[in-house]
Each structure stands twice: as structure tokens, then as C-alpha cells.
Amino acid sequence: MKLAGKDLLGMKELSEEEIRYILYQAETMKYILKQNAKKTPHLQGKTMVTLFYENSTRTRMSFELASKYMSANAANITASGSSVNKGETLIDTAKTLDDMGTDIIVIRHQMSGAPHLIAKHVKASVINAGDGMNEHPTQSLLDLFTIKEKLGRLEGLKVAIVGDIAHSRVARSNIYALNKLGSTVAVGGPSTLLPKDIETMGVRAYKNVEEAITDADVVMCLRLQKERQQSGLLPSMREYAQFFGINEKRLALAKKDALVMHPGPVNRGVELCTEVMDLPRSVIDEQVTNGVAVRMAVLNILAKRSN
Ligand code: CP
């Protein structure tokens, strides 16, 4: 099987079959990751460049490690160290990388739609590593992989996504994906951080976290996107933590062994208290590990289409 398009731009564009295919491939990659010698020839001769206009630890490093484990040539560019600082446009930067023979461009950009824009102008496959408030598809894929690994299925689950829904590309990607895979999604958070039309995406929306997480199989907390907030949406971090942060008392409303997830980086003591982060059912560390496996799978699938 191949993906229909040359790029991975969002979960909105992927079919259920394509999502399941990537998750299936990621199981093999997870097996490879568990070996002492993590080196395979899958991407020999291929070149991946990461082009990050926003900060990242997990996404950028896991793409870089994934490509290296599979023997690709990997390079990275940040906006501050590139000719973007001399006024070069995004399209011209992407075309420059294309002309150098890059097979896969992984881009993170503050503008929603930036990966879609460059994908139209380059031969290389483009992977969206987070575009503004739009989507973060590989984060969603690793979240789905982690849920399936821990609970054995995705169908028939209640997944509560709580916190800063309005600014979260992780929430949007997961809502698209979980709806396609048969989970029910509830979102909860302060009314100022809930888009007015969020229920048109096929979710139940609550202006508190308690109702959203009641009887949930998975409690997915989101980072407060301080860099995207207008002022006046929240009284203070302390009050956010008090009224919306996930502590043990609130978590008790979810199912007994409900998974606790967070895409990271965590504002400790704001979205999640440390005691909850340290519970055995908190799978935040596994999410990070699975991010490498899922990105190996995505790189392999996209690289194969250009063979
Ligand atoms: N979850 C996530 O995208 O983390 P980074 O910003 O560290 O890549």
C-alpha cells in the first residue's frame, strides 16, 4: 500500500486505511528501535532536511534520529541560521532544498498552511511537523499508536482532550483522526480557549474539564500555547491550574486506568500536576519513544514512493 499523495500534510487528508497502514508500519519500526544496533538500510541514499521556523525538541530530534537509524542523509535548517534572515521567501527556500536533491522536507512553521503551500512547488515529499494552529499529524499518529499499544484498540474509546483547544494543532489533528478511527472525542477547557464552532468537528464540548473527562478511557492534556495567546484569555497561570489543571481528584472522574497523555513540552503544575505525571498510567515518556517509531514509518513510506 502507498499513501494517495506524495506528502503528509494533515490527518484531515488521510483516509482511515492510510492511518491504519502507518500505525501498522510503526509496529515494525518500534521492534527495530528495541534492538541494540538501531541501524537499517531502509533510507540508504535518501536525503531528509528539517526546516524549522519554530522551536522544537521532540519533533525535530525524533525526525533526525529516525532518518539516521534508517541510514538516510539528514540535515537541518533553522530560520535564524538560514537565508530567510536575508529576506528569502518560504517557497524559494523550499525550492532551493528541492534543487539540491532533497527527497523529504520536514517543515514546522508558524503559519497555518505553510507545508501545503511549499508542497505544491517542490518534487520532494513534504511532512507537516506543525503549522500554526492547524495540524501536527505526526504527533497525532504517535498518540494513536500509543493508545493502541496500551489499550489494544482505538474503536469505541472515549478520548477527552482538555486545555487550550483553540490554539492547539495537536487537538485538531487528533479530532480528525480519532473520529475516523471510531473513538468518541470530548473536549473541555475555559470558554475563552474553546472555539465557538468546535462541535462542528464532531466532538462534544464542555466549558470545564470535569464533564469532559468523566468516564474517559484517555485524558489527553494540551500545553497552554503561551506564544499564541492574545492577552486577556486567562486570568493567570495559577488560576488556570486551579480550575482546569489535571490533578488526582479530577483524574478520578475518568475510568480507573485511564491513560494520561500530553504531547509535551509540559508546563509542570499548570496543565498537569507532577503527581499525575508520575502515575504508572501516565504514558508521556512512551509517547516520546513512539514518536521515533512513527516518524521512521512515515519517512519509510514516503521515501518508498519515490523509488
Ligand atoms: N510535541 C511537540 O511537538 O514537541 P516539540 O515542540 O518539542 O517538537
Side-chain angles (χ1 to χ4, degrees):
M1 183 177 169
K2 289 185 176 180
L3 302 189
K6 76 173 173 69
D7 311 296
L8 175 60
L9 299 176
M11 301 308 281
K12 187 178 183 180
E13 286 88 356
L14 291 182
S15 67
E16 179 188 346
E17 291 69 33
E18 288 175 318
I19 297 170
R20 289 193 190 278
Y21 173 59
I22 297 169
L23 298 180
Y24 175 70
Q25 294 281 312
E27 285 178 27
T28 308
M29 299 307 174
K30 180 89 188 258
Y31 176 80
I32 292 169
L33 277 182
K34 285 185 186 152
Q35 310 307 308
N36 279 338
K38 302 179 193 59
K39 198 74 174 174
T40 76
H42 286 83
L43 298 186
Q44 213 148 37
K46 299 289 181 186
T47 302
M48 179 205 75
V49 176
T50 58
L51 177 58
F52 274 53
Y53 290 78
E54 286 187 335
N55 295 338
S56 169
T57 298
R58 291 150 200 78
T59 312
R60 199 176 87 180
M61 191 48 65
S62 59
F63 269 114
E64 195 163 328
L65 289 176
S67 67
K68 287 181 173 164
Y69 291 155
M70 294 192 295
S71 309
N73 305 307
N76 71 74
I77 306 180
T78 56
S80 60
S82 74
S83 290
V84 169
N85 266 356
K86 300 178 195 162
E88 188 169 55
T89 66
L90 177 61
I91 292 172
D92 285 342
T93 301
K95 281 167 79 171
T96 302
L97 299 176
D98 209 34
D99 291 339
M100 291 177 182
T102 304
D103 298 289
I104 300 178
I105 299 172
V106 181
I107 177 169
R108 171 171 286 189
H109 200 282
Q110 62 277 12
M111 185 186 88
S112 298
H116 308 66
L117 179 68
I118 67 163
K120 290 187 195 138
H121 291 87
V122 296
K123 296 185 289 302
S125 291
V126 175
I127 300 177
N128 179 359
D131 63 324
M133 299 190 289
N134 182 38
E135 283 224 43
H136 191 351
T138 58
Q139 177 68 46
S140 171
L141 287 163
L142 77 87
D143 292 339
L144 299 173
F145 185 89
T146 306
I147 296 171
K148 184 150 187 292
E149 186 179 57
K150 294 288 168 190
L151 301 182
R153 66 194 164 97
L154 290 155
E155 308 76 28
L157 299 177
K158 176 180 175 183
V159 180
I161 306 179
V162 294
D164 183 357
I165 309 292
H167 300 96
S168 176
R169 52 199 178 202
V170 176
R172 289 174 65 82
S173 283
N174 273 318
I175 291 169
Y176 287 129
L178 289 162
N179 278 339
K180 289 178 193 185
L181 295 167
S183 299
T184 301
V185 182
V187 299
S191 56
T192 48
L193 297 179
L194 274 181
K196 300 271 172 291
D197 58 352
I198 190 72
E199 289 198 337
T200 63
M201 290 186 76
V203 301
R204 293 292 304 273
Y206 301 95
K207 292 176 183 163
N208 60 74
V209 295
E210 286 83 357
E211 284 179 280
I213 67 177
T214 296
D215 293 329
D217 299 280
V218 178
V219 178
M220 192 181 283
C221 308
L222 300 172
R223 183 174 68 84
L224 265 187
Q225 308 256 319
K226 287 181 253 179
E227 69 276 29
R228 292 184 225 285
Q229 305 262 354
Q230 309 149 22
S231 59
L233 292 180
L234 290 173
S236 70
M237 290 293 152
R238 197 152 57 90
E239 273 150 315
Y240 179 88
Q242 186 184 343
F243 295 112
F244 299 98
I246 300 300
N247 52 29
E248 286 181 285
K249 187 166 170 229
R250 289 202 174 101
L251 187 61
L253 295 166
K255 285 197 179 146
K256 190 168 143 286
D257 294 318
L259 300 182
V260 176
M261 304 180 77
H262 192 298
V266 178
N267 293 305
R268 261 182 198 269
V270 180
E271 303 104 31
L272 266 176
C273 70
T274 295
E275 300 79 67
V276 171
M277 284 181 74
D278 293 341
L279 290 173
R281 57 173 146 150
S282 161
V283 294
I284 298 168
D285 293 344
E286 284 96 327
Q287 286 175 268
V288 174
T289 305
N290 291 338
V292 182
V294 158
R295 286 166 181 132
M296 285 170 78
V298 168
L299 290 173
N300 187 41
I301 290 166
L302 293 181
K304 268 200 311 212
R305 61 159 280 286
S306 59
N307 278 341

